Amino acid sequence: MAGEAAERRHLLDVDDLTREDVERVLETARSFSEVMRRPIKKVPSLRGKTVVNLFYEPSTRTRLSFEVAAKRLSADVLNFTASTSSVEKGESLKDTALTLRAMGVDAVVIRHPVAGTPWLLRRWLDVSVLNAGDGMHAHPTQALLDLFTMRERLGDLEGRTIAYVGDILHSRVARSGFKACLAMGMRVVAVAPPTLLPPVLPEGVEVSYDLDEVIPRCDVLYMLRVQKERLLEGRFPSPQEYSRFYQLNLERLRAARPGVVVMHPGPMNRGMEIASEVADAPHAAITAQVAAGVAVRMAVLFLLLGMGERGD
């Protein structure tokens, strides 16, 4: 996102980034995390820039995180929600994009239920496009903030082992996370019932159906939200049956390594994929992930929009 990649103006998936790019984002995010501990949590780095949050799906953490990040960089922020816009009157994505271009915005953060939409938007706009989640495909800033959180807890990630547990088939978090963790030299295990695994996984990802066997060899246990509509699809017999084999509870956590990090992208189903007492335990880094989200998205916006001076 800088240096040899200086011409890069978008963040569509972690595929776009070299390991050096990832390191640059994480180092810049660490710098901005220090800004967030100041009494005045704002720098003028993106003063005069306009960032649009273009969300066609509900979101709490990602949308608010991008909004806070842009405002702390002193950018102007416009929030677009499909349900309260001309989309309800039938306006197409392309016409919405052309409207934003005419307004002279500098960056568009898009979440859309259809995979590939950010790539389509990039063709129509001559501004930076950031993928905030497209269908079941990708969620690159989630992957980056997860790396940041893990590094803050564990230090060097090379050789560490992470298990993604749960609904991997429908998870854009897992898809981007696999790529990011492998790129940083981590060992990755996908743990799920066979009905919640995709037919093909990236090379290097180990598959297991047995959470109890995997837990003792992991440095990070990454629990994925069970989408309750999957129960209607017959992906598993019942919530009780799922929890029996794949819920992270205190009994299972006792078998983990000392210092294991428990993560979840939110929103959580307490009592389903994760027991409430585990979600609130010292091992859990779930609120740390939220804080990291602001710092990492500040870093990504700062690097993509190319302002040379931090001004702090």
Side-chain angles (χ1 to χ4, degrees):
M1 297 168 71
E4 66 177 16
E7 298 303 317
R8 191 167 294 144
R9 301 180 59 199
H10 313 287
L11 178 59
L12 304 181
D13 198 357
V14 288
D15 291 319
D16 297 343
L17 305 177
T18 64
R19 182 162 179 168
E20 289 71 28
D21 290 332
V22 173
E23 295 284 358
R24 189 172 298 110
V25 171
L26 300 184
E27 285 305 309
T28 306
R30 171 167 280 188
S31 174
F32 281 127
S33 71
E34 294 170 4
V35 171
M36 290 167 57
R37 290 193 286 271
R38 298 177 185 174
I40 299 175
K41 305 174 180 63
K42 198 164 187 175
V43 292
S45 304
L46 295 187
R47 182 178 295 159
K49 298 288 186 182
T50 302
V51 176
V52 178
N53 290 320
L54 188 63
F55 276 61
Y56 286 78
E57 280 187 334
S59 170
T60 300
R61 291 159 190 77
T62 304
R63 195 194 65 77
L64 289 177
S65 181
F66 267 112
E67 180 175 354
V68 171
K71 287 181 174 177
R72 287 186 175 168
L73 293 168
S74 300
D76 297 316
V77 180
L78 302 175
N79 289 312
F80 172 101
T81 303
S83 60
T84 57
S85 72
S86 292
V87 171
E88 287 294 296
K89 301 175 184 175
E91 183 171 75
S92 68
L93 175 65
K94 183 173 184 178
D95 286 334
T96 299
L98 296 178
T99 298
L100 295 176
R101 187 174 71 178
M103 290 180 178
V105 305
D106 299 286
V108 176
V109 179
I110 182 166
R111 169 168 288 189
H112 201 282
V114 177
T117 300
W119 283 259
L120 194 60
L121 197 65
R122 181 184 61 178
R123 292 170 50 189
W124 298 327
L125 294 176
D126 54 359
V127 304
S128 293
V129 176
L130 292 84
N131 184 0
D134 63 315
M136 299 187 296
H137 180 226
H139 197 347
T141 57
Q142 181 72 45
L144 291 168
L145 75 87
D146 289 337
L147 290 179
F148 183 88
T149 304
M150 286 186 270
R151 181 172 280 185
E152 290 296 297
R153 288 287 184 104
L154 298 171
D156 188 13
L157 299 180
E158 184 85 33
R160 298 283 192 173
T161 300
I162 181 172
Y164 283 85
V165 183
D167 186 1
I168 292 166
L169 176 64
H170 301 95
S171 177
R172 58 194 172 206
V173 170
R175 283 182 174 78
S176 287
F178 289 163
K179 298 174 187 173
C181 291
L182 290 170
M184 300 302 285
M186 298 181 73
R187 291 187 287 268
V188 179
V189 187
V191 184
T195 52
L196 290 178
L197 283 168
V200 179
L201 287 166
E203 184 178 351
V205 175
E206 175 189 342
V207 173
S208 175
Y209 310 128
D210 187 347
L211 177 58
D212 293 309
E213 184 277 325
V214 169
I215 283 177
R217 51 191 177 98
C218 287
D219 301 289
V220 182
L221 297 168
Y222 199 111
M223 309 308 294
L224 296 168
R225 183 174 74 90
V226 175
Q227 300 176 38
K228 292 181 178 176
E229 57 270 31
R230 305 307 169 201
L231 183 60
L232 301 176
E233 297 176 0
R235 299 283 178 179
F236 47 89
S238 69
Q240 293 77 17
E241 188 76 358
Y242 180 89
S243 297
R244 179 183 170 199
F245 290 101
Y246 295 101
Q247 182 192 84
L248 184 60
N249 52 35
L250 276 181
E251 184 179 351
R252 286 198 165 104
L253 192 60
R254 290 190 188 100
R257 292 176 175 173
V260 69
V261 181
V262 176
M263 301 177 72
H264 193 298
M268 291 184 284
N269 295 311
R270 289 176 181 255
M272 181 76 172
E273 69 268 10
I274 187 169
S276 193
E277 58 267 31
V278 173
D280 298 328
H283 295 282
I286 297 163
T287 55
Q289 289 174 268
V290 177
V294 176
V296 165
R297 286 164 180 138
M298 287 176 75
V300 168
L301 286 168
F302 174 75
L303 293 169
L304 282 178
L305 295 182
M307 301 299 287
E309 299 294 332
R310 280 275 305 276
D312 58 345

